[in-house]
Amino acid sequence: MKQKKQLAVLVALLLIAGFIWFFYFGRDNPIATVDAGAAQNPQLLSVENPQLHTYGVEKARNTEYKGGARSIFSRELPPPPPPVHIDPGPKVPVVPPPPVIVTPTVSPLPVKFFGFGTVPNGTSRRAFLTDGENVYVVAEGEILLNRFRILKIGNANLEYEEVSSGLRGTAILEEQGAPPSA
């Protein structure tokens, strides 16, 4: 009785193994099919010169190995070539070039100085500056755009100082042309 049970379990396990093999391993193989239309009209490759290039083969056959002083089958390196001794001649002292002195330049005013005026009650002059949209009226000693201090307002120019670096510059009075008559 015991042997019959073992045989039944063996048959059941073999059936289960067969089903697993059939479903998992039997279906992974791709099936190769040929398209009849593709076999009748093959696509030809565009080759500019379809002839054989025999000159390259002949060139490779005619090359000859020309070994140097070293044997390609030996691990030992050949002796180094003798050092070449060159007479340097008389020594000429090298004179370093003079140092280049770079003078820092003040950045130009980002506004245009187009006029000046005086206050009737006092002697302080006012400069009129514009950036195209805004007009700035500043007196001597005032700071313009939080970057430039106006030092002196003259008849033809304006002297200013960049606050961050202390560098001084001059802006020239730019006269406005008359507006075009209509």
Side-chain angles (χ1 to χ4, degrees):
M1 196 63 166
K2 187 176 180 186
Q3 210 173 21
K4 286 184 182 182
K5 284 183 183 181
Q6 287 179 349
L7 186 60
V9 169
L10 177 64
V11 170
L13 288 175
L14 285 175
L15 285 174
I16 293 172
F19 282 125
I20 291 173
W21 181 79
F22 177 74
F23 284 113
Y24 290 108
F25 299 114
R27 295 184 185 207
D28 286 344
N29 297 335
I31 298 172
T33 60
V34 176
D35 186 15
Q40 292 175 358
N41 298 324
Q43 294 289 333
L44 298 178
L45 298 175
S46 63
V47 178
E48 293 178 12
N49 189 0
Q51 70 181 3
L52 294 176
H53 301 286
T54 57
Y55 62 88
V57 176
E58 289 300 319
K59 183 180 175 185
R61 284 185 184 165
N62 293 334
T63 58
E64 185 178 320
Y65 175 72
K66 297 176 183 174
R70 179 179 178 203
S71 170
I72 60 172
F73 301 106
S74 174
R75 288 183 156 208
E76 296 176 13
L77 294 175
V84 178
H85 183 69
I86 299 174
D87 186 22
K91 292 187 178 183
V92 177
V94 177
V95 178
V100 178
I101 300 173
V102 178
T103 57
T105 58
V106 65
S107 58
L109 282 176
V111 292
K112 184 164 86 169
F113 173 48
F114 69 92
F116 63 93
T118 58
V119 178
N121 298 350
T123 58
S124 66
R125 292 185 114 179
R126 306 272 181 187
F128 304 115
L129 304 134
T130 182
D131 60 0
E133 292 181 14
N134 300 325
V135 174
Y136 303 98
V137 179
V138 291
E140 292 179 347
E142 289 184 2
I143 295 180
L144 172 69
L145 301 173
N146 293 329
R147 288 182 51 200
F148 303 99
R149 175 175 288 128
I150 305 302
L151 299 175
K152 182 179 178 188
I153 301 170
N155 292 338
N157 60 9
L158 170 81
E159 293 180 15
Y160 63 94
E161 175 184 39
E162 192 171 14
V163 176
S164 62
S165 63
L167 297 174
R168 295 182 177 212
T170 303
I172 299 173
L173 176 67
E174 298 181 23
E175 294 189 25
Q176 297 283 330
S181 60

